């Protein structure tokens, strides 16, 4: 529509408005402009209703016409900003789009692969649950089993690192599983949804057989970083390059313009044959993650009595106040697995250097090596439900979550 009001003319797509007195126009630059209808001249330049097939409403899945010369990528939506739009009732961003909507919103994906769309959840990621993780793991397993050459999971960024690491432990995969999202919704000119989606599909058709997180590597629109799921952390609330690999360089990167995938470090390669595909979705849900701070009451730990596991983010090499140690001793005596990690972003736990650390070892804690605390919690949830020796599993790198050495890097 074209809207003339006074000496100002706007031309663009009309969006839903929260008030009958105003009209909202998305102009070419991407901004949404609200105009009072009173005294405005409105001309319809083009009209039409985009029809959406309702097959997805019945099955939860959709299929796009296939090109035999292209790989097949399963697009799985869980919600989040990459699959969000503006709720014109509240003015806030809300998760509303399904996987097919993302394809329509990102025409750049055309010609890169064949796509199958599937909705597992439609939530903002702060509402993620372990039950959704289990549904997601089963859905990914099913898509790969049915021939997908790669999987892209669209997910909110706030809890993406937790979900990605959960999939790394729950799935043995012969193809790439790539998590992506966006820090800024599609209605904003600075949105990162298109670039992240394109780079994620490129990564999903690469020769890597791991769970990855694909997001902007820097402030520019040129390269996305590929992070190993069990080593990544969101380190900024709003920047587009918010995600960083802890303790190392990113595993690789994707050039946006050429769609070229390059790996900088060793990674698990896609097997030439079908490889191993397996899913172990069981999780122990009664696991807590506590952060120790000076003056923290040991009673915090007492609330974990009867829990299957506790992960503590301690200070430095993995320390807590000495008043916490008797409570930890009681927990481990009662069968609770207590894993010690560090709040530090670099380095690893070593409780053999100071008296406090040695006392913690005597109390039965399991050293978490250099695991990211959030990853350690997810791993402990999985280990408690799937292995006989939790201590052995927590001390062994199962999905790249523990590095052999902690060394400075640039």
């Amino acid at each position: 529509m074209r809207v003339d009001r006074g000496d100002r003319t706007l031309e663009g797509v009309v969006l839903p408005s929260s008030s009958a007195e105003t009209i909202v126009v998305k102009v070419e630059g991407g901004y949404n402009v609200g105009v009072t209808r009173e005294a405005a001249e409105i001309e319809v330049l083009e009209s039409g209703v985009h029809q959406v097939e309702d097959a997805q409403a019945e099955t939860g899945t959709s299929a796009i016409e296939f090109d035999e010369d292209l790989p097949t990528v399963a697009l799985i939506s869980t919600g989040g900003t990459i699959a969000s739009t503006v709720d014109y009732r509240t003015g806030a961003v809300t998760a509303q789009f399904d996987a097919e909507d993302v394809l329509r919103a990102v025409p750049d994906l055309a010609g890169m692969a064949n796509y199958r769309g599937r909705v597992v959840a439609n939530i903002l990621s702060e509402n993620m649950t372990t039950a959704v993780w289990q549904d997601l793991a089963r859905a990914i397993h099913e898509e790969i089993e049915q021939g997908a050459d790669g999987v892209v999971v669209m997910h909110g960024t706030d809890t993406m690192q937790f979900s990605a690491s959960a999939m790394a432990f729950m799935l043995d995969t012969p193809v790439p599983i790539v998590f992506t999202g966006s820090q800024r919704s599609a209605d904003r000119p600075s949105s990162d949804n298109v670039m992240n989606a394109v780079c994620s599909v490129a990564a999903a058709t690469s020769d890597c057989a791991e769970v990855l997180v694909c997001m902007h590597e820097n402030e520019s629109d040129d390269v996305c970083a590929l992070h190993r799921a069990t080593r990544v952390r969101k380190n900024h609330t709003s920047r587009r390059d918010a995600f960083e690999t802890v303790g190392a360089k990113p595993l690789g990167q994707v050039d946006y313009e050429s769609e070229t995938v390059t790996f900088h470090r060793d990674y698990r390669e896609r097997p030439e044959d079908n490889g191993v595909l397996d899913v172990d979705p069981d999780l122990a849900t009664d696991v807590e993650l506590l952060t120790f701070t000076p003056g923290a009451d040991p009673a915090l730990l007492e609330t974990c009595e009867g829990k299957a596991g506790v992960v503590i983010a301690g200070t430095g090499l993995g320390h807590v106040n000495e008043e916490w140690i008797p409570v930890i001793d009681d927990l481990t005596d009662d069968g609770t697995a207590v894993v010690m990690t560090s709040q530090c972003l670099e380095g690893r736990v070593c409780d053999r250097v100071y008296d406090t650390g040695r006392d913690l070892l005597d109390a039965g804690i399991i050293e978490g090596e250099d695991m990211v605390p959030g990853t350690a919690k997810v791993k402990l949830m999985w280990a408690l439900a799937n292995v006989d020796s939790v201590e052995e599993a927590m001390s062994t790198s199962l999905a790249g979550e523990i590095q052999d050495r902690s060394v400075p890097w640039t």
Side-chain angles (χ1 to χ4, degrees), residues 14-73:
V14 176
L15 301 177
S17 174
S18 60
S19 168
E21 287 74 38
T22 60
I23 185 170
V24 178
V25 180
K26 178 181 282 296
V27 297
E28 184 177 0
Y31 285 101
N32 302 333
V33 181
V35 180
T36 303
R37 289 178 180 267
E38 185 180 358
E41 296 182 10
I42 301 173
E43 179 184 357
V44 178
L45 303 178
E46 183 180 350
S47 65
V49 179
H50 185 66
Q51 300 295 328
V52 180
E53 296 180 1
D54 60 2
Q56 150 126 24
E58 298 179 5
T59 65
T61 62
S62 59
I64 307 299
E65 186 175 346
F66 277 71
D67 181 338
E68 292 182 357
D69 296 327
L70 293 176
T72 298
V73 173

Side-chain angles (χ1 to χ4, degrees), residues 71-358:
T72 298
V73 173
L75 297 179
I76 298 181
S77 176
T78 66
T81 302
I82 194 170
S84 294
T85 186
V86 172
D87 182 342
Y88 291 92
R89 176 181 59 83
T90 65
V93 173
T94 182
Q96 291 184 356
F97 289 174
D98 62 31
E100 282 194 326
D101 290 318
V102 175
L103 289 179
R104 296 187 188 100
V106 187
D108 307 57
L109 293 176
M112 293 182 65
N114 298 309
Y115 300 105
R116 291 206 301 261
R118 182 167 184 156
V119 178
V120 169
N122 194 14
I123 57 176
L124 297 175
S125 73
E126 57 266 32
N127 297 321
M128 185 57 61
T129 66
T130 54
V132 175
W133 285 348
Q134 292 171 319
D135 290 342
L136 178 58
R138 294 186 184 101
I140 293 172
H141 179 271
E142 185 175 309
E143 290 295 331
I144 299 173
E145 194 173 46
Q146 293 178 356
D149 298 301
V151 177
V152 173
V153 179
M154 292 167 287
H155 195 289
T157 59
D158 281 4
T159 61
M160 185 190 295
Q161 67 197 61
F162 296 94
S163 297
S165 62
M167 295 307 106
F169 294 120
M170 298 165 80
L171 288 159
D172 288 326
T173 176
V175 306
I177 300 170
V178 186
F179 278 72
T180 193
S182 60
Q183 288 284 82
R184 301 172 189 176
S185 55
D187 63 300
R188 298 178 62 182
S190 61
S191 177
D192 48 341
N193 70 325
V194 171
M195 177 172 158
N196 292 347
V198 168
C199 290
S200 294
V201 169
T205 57
S206 72
D207 68 341
C208 178
E210 293 193 28
V211 183
L212 307 169
V213 168
C214 178
M215 295 289 289
H216 267 56
E217 185 171 74
N218 52 50
E219 292 182 296
S220 301
D221 292 317
D222 54 0
V223 178
C224 275
L226 295 177
H227 306 278
R228 178 167 279 148
T230 55
R231 297 295 310 175
V232 70
R233 188 176 188 273
K234 183 176 180 179
N235 280 348
H236 198 280
T237 59
S238 57
R239 282 172 57 128
R240 298 187 300 176
D241 57 339
F243 284 79
E244 297 180 22
T245 293
V246 177
K249 293 180 179 179
L251 203 60
Q253 64 181 189
V254 184
D255 182 271
Y256 177 39
E257 184 175 354
S258 67
E259 299 169 7
T260 301
V261 180
T262 305
F263 289 97
H264 306 309
R265 300 190 287 116
D266 291 341
Y267 62 95
R268 181 184 174 191
E269 296 184 19
R270 186 194 295 260
E272 294 183 2
D273 55 13
N274 291 333
V276 176
L277 172 63
D278 196 15
V279 59
D280 296 303
D282 292 342
L283 295 170
T285 57
D286 55 342
V287 175
E288 297 294 339
L289 171 59
L290 300 179
T291 300
F292 169 76
T293 56
D297 193 335
L300 287 172
L301 267 178
E302 294 173 359
T303 64
C304 296
E305 182 179 349
K307 296 282 186 181
V310 178
V311 175
I312 300 174
T315 59
L317 292 168
H319 296 153
V320 294
N321 187 289
E322 60 184 12
E323 294 181 357
W324 281 44
I325 298 176
V327 184
I328 292 173
D329 200 357
D330 290 341
L331 288 173
T332 58
D333 284 347
D334 290 340
T336 300
V338 180
V339 177
M340 181 63 69
T341 62
S342 176
Q343 300 167 30
C344 300
L345 294 182
E346 306 286 343
R348 68 203 311 114
V349 167
C350 182
D351 281 310
R352 292 166 176 79
V353 178
Y354 295 97
D355 287 344
T356 298
R358 292 178 180 271

